[in-house]
Amino acid sequence: MKKREIPIIAFKCKKCGRIHYPFHDRCLTCLSRDFEKIHPQGNAKLLTFSAIFNLPWGFDQRFLIIGIAEFENKVKVMGQIKADSIDELQTGMTVLPTWEPVRVKDGENIYGVKFEPIK
Amino acid sequence: MRDVAIIGAGMIPFGRRDEDTLLEMLSYASLKALDDAGMGDKKVDAVYVGNMGAGILQHQSSIASSLVDRLSLLPAAADVVENGPASGGSALKNGFLAVASGYYDYVLVVGGEKMREVTGWRATDFVATMTHPEVEYPYGITLPGMAGMFTQLYMEKWGVTREHLLAVTLKNQEMGALNPYAHVEMTLSRDGIFDSPDAVVNNPYAASPLHLYDLCPVSDGAAAVILCPLDVAKKRGKACVQIVGFGQATDTHTLQEREDPTDLKAVTLASQQALEMAKLKPSDISVAELHDAFTILEIAESEHVGFFKKGEGGKAAAAGKTRLGGQIPINVSGGLKARGHPVGGTGVAQVVDIVFQLRHELPENRQVKDAKTGLTINFGGFGNNVTCFVLKRIEP
Ligand SMILES: [Zn+2]
């Protein structure tokens, strides 16, 4: 179960309800500065993805699949996708979020979201 | 506001320029523009340098101060303008406003970048520093990756196909091969990158669904223009080019926070502002340079500027409507795809190419016949900061 805890904080505008991630000092819709902190909930829907070759410095692998997914409570998050090929993926599919190391910096793991297609 | 003219334009060949430092490239392009304008010993009041990455790539700061010193333009005011891959467009904006306001009379705007002195790994990482430092960059996202995610959606929503993207690749490579300043000097065969069994090897995925030849190269290069009041330019008795429209708009930093990520709002707004200022419609434009860092962007921008309806841009490209002699010739220079994309230089290079077109000085195989007006789109970030210029030929 602990893998399902996604320690991301998104920000729901208390005035108009717009959900922000990342944080903005003022609401993108109504300029309000009052936000409720919320966590992504449940599974997510894959909105788009790309298998990226020619990775940046710091990634020692042949390719990486990255996508954007929307959680059940409408928080949208970029993450790495756990799939061997884009043939396993399609937009709109349900993906299972996990919190795992996404890169190594100065010998330390950096954690982030990974999405796993539900087979 | 005063009317502003471009009286000089110049660029150096883009590509891999190991022999030159960044400062040398900026100098060479500036000298070409100064000479083209016939400036002689006339004083330049201000210099704006478009550059994205000297601090990261060359470990060098304050390059505008170095440039005016090298060019003996002291004591001209000098600033670096940074707006990612739209740094050139933003530098030109500053020059334009400075002359329009009446504060300065003669302004040099130069944009350039030296990207090939670092490895591809480092260059990709450098460009990725534009992404959000907390919610995007750590995942290993790259600009081609952003474009891949955008293309996935654009194809699904607007019916763009790989054939449409291919038409842009082939057109721009073909035109680049005719351009002596272009980074890529070879044409591509449809067979080699699409139809034949070898195409999978020659043209693999770079960032799905985009393939290698959907991406622009990583380039060194620089381009420059000289601005002055239109009244002064008119006294020279030569055809010149007026900046008749400018627009700039921003959008959310991250793709995920856009209500419809296929909607390039900043492109729409920037071009609307520029066309409105110029009192022109998209159909009045003779030639356009759009920011095709990825082939999908040429198609998407051609729709967002209003040359074609949404969903029609890809079909138009495949039907040859954006070729020389077509309804609206786009990227006759070869675009970023073939001229190359030294990030801070691109916005100025686009304008230089339009100036060449509007002065009617290109060879027949590249000249848009009787071109009167031109438009440029310089696309910063992944569409989060976009500039647009509308230029017009002024008869002698
Ligand atoms: Zn709000």
Side-chain angles (χ1 to χ4, degrees), chain A residues 18 20-22 24 47-48 50-53 55-57 59 64 66 76 78 80 91 103 113, chain B residues 121-122 124 132 135 137-142 145 148-149 152-153 156 205-208 256-257:
Chain A
R18 178 164 176 163
H20 300 73
Y21 180 74
H24 300 259
L47 299 179
T48 187
S50 178
I52 306 169
F53 297 77
L55 292 170
W57 175 69
F59 285 87
L64 180 64
I66 288 183
K76 293 179 197 169
M78 179 181 282
Q80 294 177 355
T91 56
R103 81 187 287 165
V113 182
Chain B
W121 254 28
R122 290 276 186 181
T124 301
H132 195 284
V135 308
Y137 179 83
Y139 291 103
I141 189 66
T142 63
M149 294 194 295
Q152 180 73 36
L153 292 172
E156 287 179 12
Y205 274 137
S208 68
Q256 74 212 28
E257 287 206 297

mmCIF file of all heavy atoms in Angstrom, chain A residues 18 20-22 24 47-48 50-53 55-57 59 64 66 76 78 80 91 103 113, chain B residues 121-122 124 132 135 137-142 145 148-149 152-153 156 205-208 256-257:
data_model
loop_
_atom_site.group_PDB
_atom_site.id
_atom_site.type_symbol
_atom_site.label_atom_id
_atom_site.label_comp_id
_atom_site.label_asym_id
_atom_site.label_seq_id
_atom_site.Cartn_x
_atom_site.Cartn_y
_atom_site.Cartn_z
ATOM 1 N N ARG A 18 -10.132 25.717 -9.180
ATOM 2 C CA ARG A 18 -9.124 25.263 -10.140
ATOM 3 C C ARG A 18 -7.979 24.558 -9.410
ATOM 4 O O ARG A 18 -7.522 25.014 -8.370
ATOM 5 C CB ARG A 18 -8.574 26.453 -10.950
ATOM 6 C CG ARG A 18 -7.494 26.014 -11.926
ATOM 7 C CD ARG A 18 -7.220 27.046 -12.979
ATOM 8 N NE ARG A 18 -6.115 26.606 -13.833
ATOM 9 C CZ ARG A 18 -5.852 27.113 -15.026
ATOM 10 N NH1 ARG A 18 -6.611 28.076 -15.509
ATOM 11 N NH2 ARG A 18 -4.841 26.674 -15.727
ATOM 12 N N HIS A 20 -4.161 23.361 -9.212
ATOM 13 C CA HIS A 20 -2.845 23.756 -9.723
ATOM 14 C C HIS A 20 -1.784 22.748 -9.298
ATOM 15 O O HIS A 20 -1.717 22.362 -8.132
ATOM 16 C CB HIS A 20 -2.441 25.128 -9.170
ATOM 17 C CG HIS A 20 -3.386 26.240 -9.513
ATOM 18 N ND1 HIS A 20 -4.616 26.366 -8.932
ATOM 19 C CD2 HIS A 20 -3.264 27.277 -10.386
ATOM 20 C CE1 HIS A 20 -5.220 27.446 -9.422
ATOM 21 N NE2 HIS A 20 -4.425 28.008 -10.315
ATOM 22 N N TYR A 21 -0.966 22.356 -10.211
ATOM 23 C CA TYR A 21 0.264 21.626 -9.896
ATOM 24 C C TYR A 21 1.217 21.863 -11.037
ATOM 25 O O TYR A 21 0.913 21.475 -12.158
ATOM 26 C CB TYR A 21 0.013 20.118 -9.714
ATOM 27 C CG TYR A 21 1.298 19.384 -9.400
ATOM 28 C CD1 TYR A 21 1.887 19.495 -8.144
ATOM 29 C CD2 TYR A 21 1.942 18.613 -10.380
ATOM 30 C CE1 TYR A 21 3.087 18.858 -7.880
ATOM 31 C CE2 TYR A 21 3.133 17.972 -10.102
ATOM 32 C CZ TYR A 21 3.704 18.093 -8.861
ATOM 33 O OH TYR A 21 4.886 17.468 -8.592
ATOM 34 N N PRO A 22 2.295 22.584 -10.856
ATOM 35 C CA PRO A 22 2.870 23.032 -9.575
ATOM 36 C C PRO A 22 2.148 24.236 -8.949
ATOM 37 O O PRO A 22 1.162 24.720 -9.477
ATOM 38 C CB PRO A 22 4.286 23.449 -10.010
ATOM 39 C CG PRO A 22 4.103 23.949 -11.419
ATOM 40 C CD PRO A 22 3.081 23.015 -12.017
ATOM 41 N N HIS A 24 1.271 27.952 -7.725
ATOM 42 C CA HIS A 24 1.318 29.321 -8.250
ATOM 43 C C HIS A 24 0.963 30.251 -7.098
ATOM 44 O O HIS A 24 0.135 29.889 -6.254
ATOM 45 C CB HIS A 24 0.285 29.522 -9.371
ATOM 46 C CG HIS A 24 0.500 28.607 -10.547
ATOM 47 N ND1 HIS A 24 1.105 28.994 -11.708
ATOM 48 C CD2 HIS A 24 0.207 27.289 -10.714
ATOM 49 C CE1 HIS A 24 1.169 27.974 -12.556
ATOM 50 N NE2 HIS A 24 0.633 26.928 -11.976
ATOM 51 N N LEU A 47 -2.924 10.774 -20.311
ATOM 52 C CA LEU A 47 -3.406 11.783 -21.264
ATOM 53 C C LEU A 47 -2.550 11.816 -22.527
ATOM 54 O O LEU A 47 -3.056 11.962 -23.632
ATOM 55 C CB LEU A 47 -3.414 13.173 -20.616
ATOM 56 C CG LEU A 47 -4.299 13.341 -19.383
ATOM 57 C CD1 LEU A 47 -4.196 14.761 -18.844
ATOM 58 C CD2 LEU A 47 -5.761 13.006 -19.700
ATOM 59 N N THR A 48 -1.231 11.722 -22.343
ATOM 60 C CA THR A 48 -0.334 11.671 -23.507
ATOM 61 C C THR A 48 1.003 11.103 -23.061
ATOM 62 O O THR A 48 1.257 10.984 -21.851
ATOM 63 C CB THR A 48 -0.178 13.049 -24.176
ATOM 64 O OG1 THR A 48 0.569 12.897 -25.393
ATOM 65 C CG2 THR A 48 0.537 14.044 -23.266
ATOM 66 N N SER A 50 5.343 9.990 -24.606
ATOM 67 C CA SER A 50 6.329 9.935 -25.684
ATOM 68 C C SER A 50 7.497 9.072 -25.233
ATOM 69 O O SER A 50 7.932 9.166 -24.078
ATOM 70 C CB SER A 50 6.823 11.354 -26.014
ATOM 71 O OG SER A 50 7.810 11.311 -27.025
ATOM 72 N N ALA A 51 7.970 8.227 -26.124
ATOM 73 C CA ALA A 51 9.209 7.469 -25.871
ATOM 74 C C ALA A 51 10.348 8.337 -26.371
ATOM 75 O O ALA A 51 10.406 8.679 -27.550
ATOM 76 C CB ALA A 51 9.187 6.142 -26.609
ATOM 77 N N ILE A 52 11.218 8.707 -25.454
ATOM 78 C CA ILE A 52 12.266 9.678 -25.764
ATOM 79 C C ILE A 52 13.611 8.976 -25.888
ATOM 80 O O ILE A 52 14.065 8.307 -24.952
ATOM 81 C CB ILE A 52 12.336 10.755 -24.667
ATOM 82 C CG1 ILE A 52 10.964 11.388 -24.464
ATOM 83 C CG2 ILE A 52 13.369 11.816 -24.996
ATOM 84 C CD1 ILE A 52 10.877 12.253 -23.237
ATOM 85 N N PHE A 53 14.219 9.140 -27.048
ATOM 86 C CA PHE A 53 15.577 8.659 -27.258
ATOM 87 C C PHE A 53 16.470 9.904 -27.107
ATOM 88 O O PHE A 53 15.964 10.984 -26.858
ATOM 89 C CB PHE A 53 15.671 7.991 -28.622
ATOM 90 C CG PHE A 53 14.775 6.772 -28.721
ATOM 91 C CD1 PHE A 53 13.408 6.917 -28.900
ATOM 92 C CD2 PHE A 53 15.286 5.489 -28.556
ATOM 93 C CE1 PHE A 53 12.559 5.813 -28.946
ATOM 94 C CE2 PHE A 53 14.443 4.379 -28.606
ATOM 95 C CZ PHE A 53 13.081 4.542 -28.805
ATOM 96 N N LEU A 55 18.604 11.008 -24.630
ATOM 97 C CA LEU A 55 18.262 11.523 -23.310
ATOM 98 C C LEU A 55 19.267 12.564 -22.851
ATOM 99 O O LEU A 55 20.375 12.620 -23.347
ATOM 100 C CB LEU A 55 18.208 10.354 -22.323
ATOM 101 C CG LEU A 55 17.041 9.417 -22.621
ATOM 102 C CD1 LEU A 55 17.141 8.160 -21.793
ATOM 103 C CD2 LEU A 55 15.721 10.124 -22.375
ATOM 104 N N PRO A 56 18.843 13.397 -21.897
ATOM 105 C CA PRO A 56 19.781 14.413 -21.400
ATOM 106 C C PRO A 56 20.871 13.789 -20.537
ATOM 107 O O PRO A 56 20.748 12.655 -20.083
ATOM 108 C CB PRO A 56 18.897 15.350 -20.586
ATOM 109 C CG PRO A 56 17.708 14.542 -20.201
ATOM 110 C CD PRO A 56 17.528 13.501 -21.258
ATOM 111 N N TRP A 57 21.871 14.589 -20.292
ATOM 112 C CA TRP A 57 22.947 14.234 -19.402
ATOM 113 C C TRP A 57 22.352 13.812 -18.058
ATOM 114 O O TRP A 57 21.430 14.463 -17.565
ATOM 115 C CB TRP A 57 23.847 15.465 -19.249
ATOM 116 C CG TRP A 57 24.930 15.310 -18.274
ATOM 117 C CD1 TRP A 57 26.016 14.505 -18.378
ATOM 118 C CD2 TRP A 57 25.044 15.990 -17.027
ATOM 119 N NE1 TRP A 57 26.808 14.646 -17.272
ATOM 120 C CE2 TRP A 57 26.235 15.562 -16.436
ATOM 121 C CE3 TRP A 57 24.258 16.942 -16.364
ATOM 122 C CZ2 TRP A 57 26.652 16.034 -15.191
ATOM 123 C CZ3 TRP A 57 24.683 17.408 -15.140
ATOM 124 C CH2 TRP A 57 25.864 16.953 -14.572
ATOM 125 N N PHE A 59 21.116 10.590 -17.663
ATOM 126 C CA PHE A 59 20.324 9.380 -17.909
ATOM 127 C C PHE A 59 21.126 8.410 -18.768
ATOM 128 O O PHE A 59 21.408 8.706 -19.921
ATOM 129 C CB PHE A 59 18.994 9.717 -18.591
ATOM 130 C CG PHE A 59 18.010 10.327 -17.656
ATOM 131 C CD1 PHE A 59 18.011 11.696 -17.448
ATOM 132 C CD2 PHE A 59 17.108 9.547 -16.942
ATOM 133 C CE1 PHE A 59 17.132 12.286 -16.559
ATOM 134 C CE2 PHE A 59 16.218 10.130 -16.058
ATOM 135 C CZ PHE A 59 16.224 11.499 -15.858
ATOM 136 N N LEU A 64 13.484 6.377 -22.701
ATOM 137 C CA LEU A 64 12.675 6.603 -21.518
ATOM 138 C C LEU A 64 11.286 6.996 -22.006
ATOM 139 O O LEU A 64 11.175 7.758 -22.956
ATOM 140 C CB LEU A 64 13.320 7.786 -20.771
ATOM 141 C CG LEU A 64 12.743 8.313 -19.481
ATOM 142 C CD1 LEU A 64 12.827 7.228 -18.409
ATOM 143 C CD2 LEU A 64 13.571 9.526 -19.023
ATOM 144 N N ILE A 66 7.932 8.973 -21.115
ATOM 145 C CA ILE A 66 7.406 9.972 -20.184
ATOM 146 C C ILE A 66 5.990 10.324 -20.618
ATOM 147 O O ILE A 66 5.689 10.318 -21.817
ATOM 148 C CB ILE A 66 8.322 11.217 -20.173
ATOM 149 C CG1 ILE A 66 9.626 10.868 -19.451
ATOM 150 C CG2 ILE A 66 7.639 12.412 -19.499
ATOM 151 C CD1 ILE A 66 10.596 11.998 -19.294
ATOM 152 N N LYS A 76 -3.193 16.783 -12.430
ATOM 153 C CA LYS A 76 -2.446 16.310 -13.600
ATOM 154 C C LYS A 76 -0.949 16.381 -13.313
ATOM 155 O O LYS A 76 -0.456 17.418 -12.838
ATOM 156 C CB LYS A 76 -2.772 17.158 -14.822
ATOM 157 C CG LYS A 76 -4.200 16.998 -15.309
ATOM 158 C CD LYS A 76 -4.418 17.893 -16.514
ATOM 159 C CE LYS A 76 -5.909 18.089 -16.785
ATOM 160 N NZ LYS A 76 -6.126 19.148 -17.762
ATOM 161 N N MET A 78 3.153 15.012 -14.553
ATOM 162 C CA MET A 78 4.067 14.336 -15.469
ATOM 163 C C MET A 78 4.778 13.224 -14.706
ATOM 164 O O MET A 78 5.048 13.356 -13.510
ATOM 165 C CB MET A 78 5.109 15.332 -16.007
ATOM 166 C CG MET A 78 6.113 14.706 -16.964
ATOM 167 S SD MET A 78 7.342 15.897 -17.570
ATOM 168 C CE MET A 78 6.364 16.750 -18.798
ATOM 169 N N GLN A 80 7.299 9.270 -15.245
ATOM 170 C CA GLN A 80 7.878 8.257 -16.137
ATOM 171 C C GLN A 80 6.901 7.089 -16.248
ATOM 172 O O GLN A 80 6.152 6.806 -15.311
ATOM 173 C CB GLN A 80 9.222 7.780 -15.583
ATOM 174 C CG GLN A 80 10.271 8.888 -15.587
ATOM 175 C CD GLN A 80 11.593 8.452 -14.974
ATOM 176 O OE1 GLN A 80 11.729 7.342 -14.455
ATOM 177 N NE2 GLN A 80 12.574 9.345 -15.024
ATOM 178 N N THR A 91 -3.562 6.568 -25.233
ATOM 179 C CA THR A 91 -4.102 7.655 -24.431
ATOM 180 C C THR A 91 -5.472 7.228 -23.906
ATOM 181 O O THR A 91 -6.205 6.507 -24.573
ATOM 182 C CB THR A 91 -4.237 8.958 -25.250
ATOM 183 O OG1 THR A 91 -5.034 8.684 -26.400
ATOM 184 C CG2 THR A 91 -2.896 9.470 -25.708
ATOM 185 N N ARG A 103 15.597 9.474 -10.984
ATOM 186 C CA ARG A 103 16.936 9.752 -11.504
ATOM 187 C C ARG A 103 17.896 9.801 -10.330
ATOM 188 O O ARG A 103 17.480 9.857 -9.172
ATOM 189 C CB ARG A 103 16.977 11.053 -12.324
ATOM 190 C CG ARG A 103 17.084 12.332 -11.538
ATOM 191 C CD ARG A 103 16.937 13.553 -12.435
ATOM 192 N NE ARG A 103 18.101 13.791 -13.272
ATOM 193 C CZ ARG A 103 18.086 14.620 -14.333
ATOM 194 N NH1 ARG A 103 16.971 15.237 -14.685
ATOM 195 N NH2 ARG A 103 19.169 14.821 -15.038
ATOM 196 N N VAL A 113 7.106 10.426 -9.637
ATOM 197 C CA VAL A 113 5.986 9.560 -9.996
ATOM 198 C C VAL A 113 6.347 8.668 -11.172
ATOM 199 O O VAL A 113 6.955 9.122 -12.141
ATOM 200 C CB VAL A 113 4.750 10.405 -10.384
ATOM 201 C CG1 VAL A 113 3.567 9.501 -10.705
ATOM 202 C CG2 VAL A 113 4.395 11.368 -9.286
ATOM 203 N N TRP B 121 24.461 15.071 -25.287
ATOM 204 C CA TRP B 121 23.894 14.860 -23.946
ATOM 205 C C TRP B 121 23.740 16.166 -23.208
ATOM 206 O O TRP B 121 22.738 16.469 -22.611
ATOM 207 C CB TRP B 121 24.910 14.044 -23.150
ATOM 208 C CG TRP B 121 24.590 12.635 -22.910
ATOM 209 C CD1 TRP B 121 23.822 11.817 -23.673
ATOM 210 C CD2 TRP B 121 25.083 11.863 -21.798
ATOM 211 N NE1 TRP B 121 23.816 10.572 -23.113
ATOM 212 C CE2 TRP B 121 24.574 10.573 -21.980
ATOM 213 C CE3 TRP B 121 25.905 12.138 -20.712
ATOM 214 C CZ2 TRP B 121 24.849 9.544 -21.083
ATOM 215 C CZ3 TRP B 121 26.185 11.115 -19.827
ATOM 216 C CH2 TRP B 121 25.662 9.830 -20.009
ATOM 217 N N ARG B 122 24.841 16.947 -23.221
ATOM 218 C CA ARG B 122 24.866 18.218 -22.493
ATOM 219 C C ARG B 122 23.966 19.241 -23.168
ATOM 220 O O ARG B 122 23.297 20.017 -22.490
ATOM 221 C CB ARG B 122 26.304 18.769 -22.434
ATOM 222 C CG ARG B 122 27.217 17.964 -21.532
ATOM 223 C CD ARG B 122 27.048 18.412 -20.089
ATOM 224 N NE ARG B 122 28.024 17.738 -19.230
ATOM 225 C CZ ARG B 122 28.094 17.922 -17.915
ATOM 226 N NH1 ARG B 122 27.250 18.736 -17.311
ATOM 227 N NH2 ARG B 122 28.988 17.282 -17.203
ATOM 228 N N THR B 124 21.274 18.642 -24.941
ATOM 229 C CA THR B 124 19.887 18.265 -24.649
ATOM 230 C C THR B 124 19.511 18.701 -23.239
ATOM 231 O O THR B 124 18.425 19.224 -22.997
ATOM 232 C CB THR B 124 19.720 16.742 -24.809
ATOM 233 O OG1 THR B 124 20.082 16.396 -26.146
ATOM 234 C CG2 THR B 124 18.301 16.294 -24.544
ATOM 235 N N HIS B 132 10.021 22.927 -16.290
ATOM 236 C CA HIS B 132 9.809 23.265 -14.880
ATOM 237 C C HIS B 132 10.802 22.504 -13.997
ATOM 238 O O HIS B 132 10.887 21.281 -14.080
ATOM 239 C CB HIS B 132 8.369 22.934 -14.468
ATOM 240 C CG HIS B 132 7.994 23.578 -13.180
ATOM 241 N ND1 HIS B 132 8.435 23.118 -11.957
ATOM 242 C CD2 HIS B 132 7.261 24.684 -12.919
ATOM 243 C CE1 HIS B 132 7.953 23.896 -11.000
ATOM 244 N NE2 HIS B 132 7.249 24.857 -11.557
ATOM 245 N N VAL B 135 8.654 19.913 -11.427
ATOM 246 C CA VAL B 135 7.631 18.940 -11.832
ATOM 247 C C VAL B 135 7.850 18.378 -13.235
ATOM 248 O O VAL B 135 7.072 17.539 -13.684
ATOM 249 C CB VAL B 135 6.201 19.504 -11.680
ATOM 250 C CG1 VAL B 135 5.990 20.069 -10.277
ATOM 251 C CG2 VAL B 135 5.869 20.537 -12.732
ATOM 252 N N TYR B 137 11.533 18.741 -15.206
ATOM 253 C CA TYR B 137 12.954 18.457 -15.452
ATOM 254 C C TYR B 137 13.468 17.177 -14.770
ATOM 255 O O TYR B 137 14.168 16.384 -15.415
ATOM 256 C CB TYR B 137 13.798 19.673 -15.039
ATOM 257 C CG TYR B 137 15.274 19.472 -15.226
ATOM 258 C CD1 TYR B 137 15.875 19.677 -16.466
ATOM 259 C CD2 TYR B 137 16.086 19.040 -14.159
ATOM 260 C CE1 TYR B 137 17.235 19.472 -16.649
ATOM 261 C CE2 TYR B 137 17.438 18.832 -14.336
ATOM 262 C CZ TYR B 137 18.012 19.042 -15.578
ATOM 263 O OH TYR B 137 19.350 18.823 -15.740
ATOM 264 N N PRO B 138 13.128 16.920 -13.491
ATOM 265 C CA PRO B 138 13.708 15.742 -12.833
ATOM 266 C C PRO B 138 13.372 14.418 -13.536
ATOM 267 O O PRO B 138 14.106 13.444 -13.394
ATOM 268 C CB PRO B 138 13.096 15.767 -11.429
ATOM 269 C CG PRO B 138 12.682 17.179 -11.218
ATOM 270 C CD PRO B 138 12.281 17.701 -12.573
ATOM 271 N N TYR B 139 12.292 14.382 -14.292
ATOM 272 C CA TYR B 139 11.881 13.122 -14.930
ATOM 273 C C TYR B 139 12.704 12.783 -16.164
ATOM 274 O O TYR B 139 12.559 11.695 -16.720
ATOM 275 C CB TYR B 139 10.395 13.193 -15.295
ATOM 276 C CG TYR B 139 9.527 13.197 -14.061
ATOM 277 C CD1 TYR B 139 8.946 14.361 -13.589
ATOM 278 C CD2 TYR B 139 9.324 12.016 -13.338
ATOM 279 C CE1 TYR B 139 8.173 14.375 -12.443
ATOM 280 C CE2 TYR B 139 8.550 12.021 -12.179
ATOM 281 C CZ TYR B 139 7.985 13.198 -11.740
ATOM 282 O OH TYR B 139 7.228 13.194 -10.596
ATOM 283 N N GLY B 140 13.524 13.722 -16.612
ATOM 284 C CA GLY B 140 14.318 13.456 -17.816
ATOM 285 C C GLY B 140 13.622 13.931 -19.079
ATOM 286 O O GLY B 140 14.017 13.555 -20.182
ATOM 287 N N ILE B 141 12.613 14.790 -18.898
ATOM 288 C CA ILE B 141 11.909 15.298 -20.079
ATOM 289 C C ILE B 141 12.851 16.185 -20.903
ATOM 290 O O ILE B 141 13.707 16.867 -20.356
ATOM 291 C CB ILE B 141 10.628 16.084 -19.671
ATOM 292 C CG1 ILE B 141 9.765 16.422 -20.896
ATOM 293 C CG2 ILE B 141 10.973 17.359 -18.898
ATOM 294 C CD1 ILE B 141 9.170 15.240 -21.585
ATOM 295 N N THR B 142 12.680 16.121 -22.215
ATOM 296 C CA THR B 142 13.480 16.947 -23.127
ATOM 297 C C THR B 142 12.499 17.749 -23.974
ATOM 298 O O THR B 142 11.293 17.460 -23.983
ATOM 299 C CB THR B 142 14.313 16.061 -24.074
ATOM 300 O OG1 THR B 142 13.419 15.290 -24.894
ATOM 301 C CG2 THR B 142 15.213 15.115 -23.277
ATOM 302 N N GLY B 145 10.848 15.565 -26.291
ATOM 303 C CA GLY B 145 9.846 14.776 -25.559
ATOM 304 C C GLY B 145 8.557 15.557 -25.376
ATOM 305 O O GLY B 145 7.450 15.024 -25.525
ATOM 306 N N GLY B 148 6.938 15.472 -28.608
ATOM 307 C CA GLY B 148 6.361 14.144 -28.851
ATOM 308 C C GLY B 148 4.990 14.021 -28.191
ATOM 309 O O GLY B 148 4.019 13.569 -28.811
ATOM 310 N N MET B 149 4.897 14.451 -26.926
ATOM 311 C CA MET B 149 3.609 14.373 -26.226
ATOM 312 C C MET B 149 2.566 15.263 -26.903
ATOM 313 O O MET B 149 1.395 14.902 -27.002
ATOM 314 C CB MET B 149 3.788 14.779 -24.752
ATOM 315 C CG MET B 149 4.648 13.803 -23.968
ATOM 316 S SD MET B 149 4.538 14.037 -22.171
ATOM 317 C CE MET B 149 5.237 15.653 -21.998
ATOM 318 N N GLN B 152 1.481 13.545 -30.210
ATOM 319 C CA GLN B 152 0.548 12.438 -29.937
ATOM 320 C C GLN B 152 -0.885 12.974 -29.866
ATOM 321 O O GLN B 152 -1.803 12.439 -30.491
ATOM 322 C CB GLN B 152 0.957 11.782 -28.608
ATOM 323 C CG GLN B 152 0.097 10.615 -28.175
ATOM 324 C CD GLN B 152 0.346 9.358 -29.003
ATOM 325 O OE1 GLN B 152 1.474 9.081 -29.400
ATOM 326 N NE2 GLN B 152 -0.710 8.605 -29.278
ATOM 327 N N LEU B 153 -1.060 14.067 -29.115
ATOM 328 C CA LEU B 153 -2.391 14.651 -28.950
ATOM 329 C C LEU B 153 -2.878 15.325 -30.223
ATOM 330 O O LEU B 153 -4.049 15.227 -30.588
ATOM 331 C CB LEU B 153 -2.371 15.679 -27.812
ATOM 332 C CG LEU B 153 -2.170 15.119 -26.411
ATOM 333 C CD1 LEU B 153 -1.963 16.254 -25.413
ATOM 334 C CD2 LEU B 153 -3.390 14.284 -25.999
ATOM 335 N N GLU B 156 -4.088 12.876 -32.742
ATOM 336 C CA GLU B 156 -5.375 12.280 -32.370
ATOM 337 C C GLU B 156 -6.515 13.282 -32.538
ATOM 338 O O GLU B 156 -7.583 12.938 -33.030
ATOM 339 C CB GLU B 156 -5.338 11.793 -30.907
ATOM 340 C CG GLU B 156 -4.494 10.547 -30.731
ATOM 341 C CD GLU B 156 -4.422 10.079 -29.284
ATOM 342 O OE1 GLU B 156 -5.190 10.571 -28.435
ATOM 343 O OE2 GLU B 156 -3.574 9.198 -29.015
ATOM 344 N N TYR B 205 12.581 6.490 -34.326
ATOM 345 C CA TYR B 205 11.930 7.386 -33.372
ATOM 346 C C TYR B 205 12.970 8.242 -32.656
ATOM 347 O O TYR B 205 14.013 7.733 -32.226
ATOM 348 C CB TYR B 205 11.194 6.577 -32.299
ATOM 349 C CG TYR B 205 9.787 6.172 -32.662
ATOM 350 C CD1 TYR B 205 9.334 4.879 -32.384
ATOM 351 C CD2 TYR B 205 8.903 7.079 -33.228
ATOM 352 C CE1 TYR B 205 8.030 4.507 -32.692
ATOM 353 C CE2 TYR B 205 7.605 6.711 -33.531
ATOM 354 C CZ TYR B 205 7.171 5.421 -33.259
ATOM 355 O OH TYR B 205 5.890 5.053 -33.547
ATOM 356 N N ALA B 206 12.662 9.516 -32.509
ATOM 357 C CA ALA B 206 13.491 10.390 -31.672
ATOM 358 C C ALA B 206 12.732 10.682 -30.385
ATOM 359 O O ALA B 206 13.282 10.652 -29.292
ATOM 360 C CB ALA B 206 13.804 11.684 -32.395
ATOM 361 N N ALA B 207 11.459 10.975 -30.527
ATOM 362 C CA ALA B 207 10.548 11.179 -29.396
ATOM 363 C C ALA B 207 9.171 10.867 -29.971
ATOM 364 O O ALA B 207 8.575 11.708 -30.621
ATOM 365 C CB ALA B 207 10.618 12.598 -28.865
ATOM 366 N N SER B 208 8.717 9.642 -29.760
ATOM 367 C CA SER B 208 7.523 9.161 -30.449
ATOM 368 C C SER B 208 6.355 10.124 -30.248
ATOM 369 O O SER B 208 6.215 10.688 -29.169
ATOM 370 C CB SER B 208 7.141 7.770 -29.931
ATOM 371 O OG SER B 208 6.707 7.851 -28.589
ATOM 372 N N GLN B 256 1.023 20.340 -18.814
ATOM 373 C CA GLN B 256 -0.077 19.669 -18.103
ATOM 374 C C GLN B 256 -1.125 20.637 -17.566
ATOM 375 O O GLN B 256 -2.256 20.248 -17.298
ATOM 376 C CB GLN B 256 0.489 18.815 -16.963
ATOM 377 C CG GLN B 256 0.971 19.612 -15.759
ATOM 378 C CD GLN B 256 2.151 18.951 -15.063
ATOM 379 O OE1 GLN B 256 2.927 18.233 -15.675
ATOM 380 N NE2 GLN B 256 2.279 19.169 -13.767
ATOM 381 N N GLU B 257 -0.769 21.917 -17.397
ATOM 382 C CA GLU B 257 -1.746 22.864 -16.844
ATOM 383 C C GLU B 257 -2.545 23.586 -17.916
ATOM 384 O O GLU B 257 -3.342 24.468 -17.605
ATOM 385 C CB GLU B 257 -1.054 23.868 -15.915
ATOM 386 C CG GLU B 257 -0.647 23.217 -14.595
ATOM 387 C CD GLU B 257 -0.555 24.205 -13.446
ATOM 388 O OE1 GLU B 257 0.286 25.121 -13.508
ATOM 389 O OE2 GLU B 257 -1.343 24.066 -12.494
#
